[in-house]
Amino acid sequence: MSALLSVQGLTVRAGGKTVVSDLSFSIGSGERMGLIGESGSGKSMTAMAITGLLPPNISVTGSIVLDGQEIVGTEDKHLNRLRGVATAVVFQEPLTALDPLMKIGKQIAEPVRRRLQREQGRASRQAVGREVLDLLDKVALPQPERIANAYPHEVSGGQRQRVAIAMALACRPKLLIADEPTTALDVTTQAEILKLLDGLVRETGMALLFISHDLPVVAEVVQRVMVLRDGIALEEGAVIDVFANPSHDYTQTLVDAARMFDEALGRTGS
Amino acid sequence: MLRPSDKRKPTIFAYILRRFAILILSLLIAAVVLFVLLRLLPGDPANALLSVGADQQQIEAAREQVGSNLPLWEQFLRFVGNLARFDLGTSFVSGKPVVEEIAARLTVTVPLALLGFALAIAIAVPLGILSAVKANRWYGAAISTVSQLGIAIPVFWVGILLVTVFAVNLRLFPSGGYPRRGWQNEGQVLYALALPVLTIGLVMAASLIRYIRSATQDVLGSDYLRTARALGASFSQALIRHGIRNGAVPIVSILGIELATTLLGAVVVERVFALPGLGSMLLLAIEQRDYPNVQGVLFISTLLVLLIGFAADLFQRLIDPRLRERATGAAT
Amino acid sequence: MTSLDLSTDRPARRHSLSLSIGLALVGLNVVVAILTLFWTPYDPLNASGGRLEAPSWLHWVGTDRLGRDYLTQIMIGARTALIVGTGAVAIGASIGVTLGILAAFATRLLDDVMAATLDILIAFPTLLLAMLVVAASDSASLWSAILALGLAISAIVARLTRILAKRVLRQDYIIASRTSGTSWLGVVAWHVLPNIWPTLSVNFALQFGLAVIAEASLSYLGLGAPPPNASWGRLLQEAQGTVYTAPVGSIAPGIALVALVIGMNLFADGLRDVGDPTRRRSR
């Protein structure tokens, strides 16, 4: 199998409840895939399972092979070599996802330093600093020096999410997992962040797993989607097919709701 | 929006000024409370100067000497004025300046409290973190149970139990025996302080563990820790880089309160081990109705408590940039 | 990530476990305290055996240095502890809740001054405040100890009440209720008190335990109820003098005290879990 990520029969149980049941999908390198579902549908659990960061009292069975490495049942310390190398994650809440007490520049420097150390065996202060400013520039933040010197609470929500994206980019991952990256933002900022993410993914050629409850948002950035409800995959296919021809009632209601919402807003599709 | 970062420096300076003003104001309030409390004490303080059967003239003279013949407001002004000059009067009983006696007593109480405090931190930080990180192991649960037990035990009983074990059964440390010559006899002082320090350290550690455990739990459940892990930091790396500072913010103010409590609470431990510290001075002064001593000890303790609070607040602001900006005073 | 919070779901049985253990320990104390009003194993005031006897079938915990039965003393100590705890919390609650509510409704300036004063008062350990009040009253008695501890508790309760009440008063439905003409007393009675009661009652239980400890410390220092009122603190203080010859005496009253305080703390924990399931401690 040449897939970058291959999930087979993934089942997640927490507190006696099955949150994800028998889920299977795969993502090839450079491929962009969306995971759609309401909150509680198990999509975030799936993302966390792929990073191997679920708390130990949540049981995970099945198989997740990421970049040739089995994740389920592997000891945590072995996964450190995978996280930040094969995958990087952008989380939903940009305020809490950043360390409130550390300057933004230093936070971005952390993954940069780890990567330089890994790739070149050394990470000089200058090289790290240069890359940090480059990354801030790449995510289109104005005045990179100033932002690097600011604390997270001193910049806006959209800017914080750009910082979070810059941190993920710093890893140069093969697969970027974006867990509801625009949900906490207002509509205008949401559109800007989506455009940025879309551009960066195409430019760097990394694979993308985009998780959202918002169908139109997902449709804008991915090629393929999977619809989840109560931890069960309802359907999977190319974005256009699923949109035009939903095979499941639930997907139909999602599409309808999205369309009604768009019409109410006066938007004219994507 | 990005706020200009050069605004930050004047803010922390302004904060220090404002916090200092609050410190002074608190001292004034404390002076009022102290003054009122002391007027509530029964009997005229002048009585302490008199022998039984003193005549009216002697009483008047004594009242004049003590100042209890003046109107209340004038007494208060004199009181505050003296406090400001650190003139705490002279003891009715020994006739020595109160400040001198307090300074001598502090050489017992301050080392006792600080050593106990240091021991408590040395015990509580690793155990508190361990009990949060390994909450699902038996020893994680055991640590929190024991610390729960610890907060239900009075300090003096811990002291008595330690005496029973270490002084009576093992004969390792003395249950008293603080040398008359104090720190001139360093070895014996430290020997005599061993059990009191252990008492304070254990009791304080029990309550600290709970705070450190919950601060660690907050850090462990935090999104920024998850971000760091998701981007490749190992568990210990992430905990060290992000956990220590974030965990320290709530702990610093708790430590301030605990240190103040230890300083003042040393009175009981001093009684258990017969140490000549500030606490036993207060107890003796209350028994002997030695008002200048009572007042002096209370004022100095208040000052210490407020100074510790001041330092803890400043330190917290240094760690947490968010607090610097919405810096309101003691009234939260 | 709300979905991850599933892990903190604990089975309901554990909550009631701490509540029932707490109730059992406190209940035992109450039963013993009431029992001492009618019956004690021996006369508490007069010798019933030799001095400093070791535990035996006749004297389960031995005798004190005057030959009095130690178990009897400890049982009467339970009564003292309950009286002090209940009295101090009652005083602290009535003064504290009143002050806290007043502060919450007061003007900004008055509120700030009250808050600052309370902060200073609270910076002092209960014990020190209590020592002062006891010293200020002419002779040390059970009642001056209760009053002193009650006053110290009232500062803590007042601060908590103020914060809780202000939080409630900020709610939209309160503002709606006030604009529709409900008097502020009505707001307090119908909205504020019912809303803050669960948190307050947990705090009262904790303060009870602290009051028991503080009373023991006061009597240990010689500032508590004078003899013949048996108090665990004084028993321990007396036993300390004979710790080399009769160590049991310096252990038994402590166990009784710790059992009551832990019982009260567990009871508080149970109340918190049962009364307010939304406020679990993790996170």
Side-chain angles (χ1 to χ4, degrees), chain C residues 256-272:
Chain C
L257 190 156
V258 170
L260 175 59
V261 176
I262 285 189
M264 223 51 209
N265 288 354
L266 285 175
F267 180 64
D269 273 358
L271 270 188
R272 176 164 33 215

Side-chain angles (χ1 to χ4, degrees), chain C residues 213-236:
Chain C
I213 290 185
E215 189 277 329
S217 309
L218 277 179
S219 9
Y220 176 77
L221 292 174
L223 295 171
N229 291 309
S231 153
W232 291 332
R234 199 166 43 74
L235 290 180
L236 285 169

